[in-house]
Amino acid sequence: MSVNDDQTWAAHAACADDEPDALFVRGAAQREVRTRCFSCRVRMECLIDALESNVTYGVWGGLTERERRALVRQYPEVTNWRAWLETDNDVVAELKAPVAPRIITRLRRRQARRRAATS
């Protein structure tokens, strides 16, 4: 069963009782929304759902749309985000941390190192 089929996790989300528009904010307001995500017990399910569903707007699983796009761009080979997020690597550890990840910065550094290694 995929995340897309089973949405029961959403009832347990920290934002379950919020107005839906509260998650679709821009700029500095995203930091406030993200902070709430990091205390959520279903954050990873939310992130998996957003990645597998190609959600393009809003904060999901503690990541903004920009951060999710960077993640998808950096890992185009990933077709099963749940399985990938269950692996043990530095990016996954950062995504699971109870603080806002600096995912875009890390991905840019990693991409620069890959380019340098192939040059």
Side-chain angles (χ1 to χ4, degrees):
M1 180 179 295
S2 76
V3 175
N4 294 327
D5 295 334
D6 180 10
Q7 296 288 311
T8 57
W9 61 266
H12 304 288
C15 63
D17 294 328
D18 292 353
E19 290 293 323
D21 290 346
L23 303 175
F24 299 94
V25 294
R26 297 228 177 260
Q30 288 181 331
R31 278 186 238 125
E32 186 178 318
V33 172
R34 289 175 61 172
T35 300
R36 186 126 186 244
C37 291
F38 294 108
S39 66
C40 183
R41 66 183 181 152
V42 294
R43 181 169 66 94
M44 295 314 294
E45 287 85 352
C46 181
L47 178 58
I48 291 165
D49 186 51
L51 291 167
E52 290 186 351
S53 302
N54 297 315
V55 175
T56 55
Y57 298 104
V59 175
W60 292 80
L63 296 186
T64 65
E65 58 264 17
R66 183 176 178 205
E67 292 167 327
R68 290 192 309 276
R69 277 194 311 268
L71 190 61
V72 169
R73 222 179 358 257
Q74 184 65 36
Y75 298 97
E77 72 282 358
V78 176
T79 57
N80 182 335
W81 287 100
R82 177 175 296 283
W84 187 80
L85 287 167
E86 290 174 352
T87 64
D88 185 26
N89 68 51
D90 293 340
V91 174
V92 171
E94 184 174 342
L95 289 171
K96 290 181 178 180
V99 295
R102 297 177 185 255
I103 193 72
I104 292 176
T105 304
R106 285 182 55 92
L107 293 175
R108 285 182 181 153
R109 285 184 192 149
R110 182 175 291 207
Q111 193 172 34
R113 283 193 302 266
R114 285 182 181 168
R115 276 192 229 126
T118 59
S119 299

